[in-house]
Amino acid sequence: KAGVTQTPRYLIKTRGQQVTLSCSPISGHRSVSWYQQTPGQGLQFLFEYFSETQRNKGNFPGRFSGRQFSNSRSEMNVSTLELGDSALYLCASSSGQGADNEQFFGPGTRLTVL
Amino acid sequence: KQEVTQIPAALSVPEGENLVLNCSFTDSAIYNLQWFRQDPGKGLTSLLLIQSSQREQTSGRLNASLDKSSGRSTLYIAASQPGDSATYLCAAPEVRGNNDMRFGAGTRLTVKP
């Protein structure tokens, strides 16, 4: 069974630009969650999509948005990039709910904002 | 609101030693707790998931326990190897039943040959 894939793996952008990251979950999984990881803040939850609907949202500005398609693939968009957006962006795939709901992470996209 | 803490931030042990990593959480109504491993610059690899109804889970040389009353989980690694060197993170849902996972800051483990 293929794991979680994320593209691209590396991105370099300049301040003010926008960026779109993609995540393909494990086949059959309907939930995709996005996280930002930085040395100072650690792993922080951005949002979760389940069956094309945003189910949970973390405490990030509106510049961060996402969507999920009917095949469960998800995209995350960051507009008007700031230097502080430089981070490793990780997505997690899971079946959806339940105490046995194990999260599986992709390799991440390393975003550098210059 | 669930908060997760991991102490120590770093640990160095000689190869072959058995070791315990600690994870503390604030909400005893925990739904489940998951342990991950992260190698530098990589994504997270799931190690073990413990459901709230379970006391422990085992996978190979790894054993994770969950004590809801004390707000603690431990990850026991037997006969450590240099390949076990990585950062170990624990995480629990912020709210019972959702996928907003709260992570500890991690313990960076170094196993010296």
Side-chain angles (χ1 to χ4, degrees):
Chain A
K1 204 173 195 182
V4 181
T5 58
Q6 290 186 247
T7 57
R9 295 293 312 281
Y10 302 91
L11 268 177
I12 299 176
K13 294 286 188 178
T14 57
R15 278 183 300 173
Q17 288 187 309
Q18 76 166 21
V19 66
T20 299
L21 314 181
S22 180
C23 173
S24 292
I26 291 171
S27 178
H29 283 184
R30 296 164 65 188
S31 169
V32 174
S33 300
W34 289 89
Y35 291 82
Q36 181 194 66
Q37 186 177 31
T38 59
Q41 299 296 319
L43 273 150
Q44 294 184 287
F45 173 78
L46 282 154
F47 31 66
E48 181 209 3
Y49 285 87
F50 181 83
S51 294
E52 301 180 65
T53 301
Q54 187 180 87
R55 191 159 69 169
N56 295 296
K57 189 177 190 305
N59 188 26
F60 277 81
R63 300 185 297 107
F64 293 82
S65 63
R67 59 178 176 169
Q68 187 179 34
F69 302 95
S70 58
N71 62 358
S72 292
R73 188 179 70 87
S74 177
E75 288 183 347
M76 186 191 109
N77 184 274
V78 188
S79 62
T80 318
L81 284 165
E82 300 177 359
L83 295 179
D85 297 333
S86 294
L88 181 66
Y89 289 88
L90 295 161
C91 78
S93 159
S94 70
S95 60
Q97 280 185 313
D100 60 348
N101 186 34
E102 189 172 358
Q103 305 286 318
F104 296 93
F105 280 78
T109 294
R110 171 73 64 184
L111 173 64
T112 302
V113 182
L114 303 174
Chain B
K1 181 178 173 179
Q2 188 68 270
E3 292 184 8
V4 180
T5 307
Q6 292 183 254
I7 295 173
L11 181 64
S12 180
V13 300
E15 182 177 4
E17 190 164 298
N18 302 325
L19 60 102
V20 173
L21 305 179
N22 296 300
C23 173
S24 298
F25 50 90
T26 54
D27 186 357
S28 61
I30 193 166
Y31 201 45
N32 58 37
L33 187 140
Q34 197 167 349
W35 282 92
F36 297 90
R37 166 189 172 135
Q38 186 175 33
D39 293 287
K42 308 288 187 183
L44 277 62
T45 299
S46 177
L47 297 174
L48 288 165
L49 170 75
I50 312 177
Q51 300 177 45
S52 58
S53 59
Q54 300 172 325
R55 299 285 304 249
E56 63 179 59
Q57 281 280 27
T58 298
S59 175
R61 294 183 294 109
L62 306 179
N63 176 278
S65 68
L66 179 66
D67 184 341
K68 291 184 291 183
S69 62
S70 67
R72 284 189 63 202
S73 175
T74 60
L75 179 67
Y76 174 84
I77 302 177
S80 59
Q81 304 170 358
D84 294 330
S85 298
T87 295
Y88 290 80
L89 299 130
C90 63
E94 188 207 11
V95 174
R96 186 180 182 88
N98 79 13
N99 286 333
D100 174 0
M101 303 293 284
R102 296 298 157 131
F103 281 83
T107 295
R108 189 173 66 254
L109 173 68
T110 303
V111 181
K112 297 176 289 186

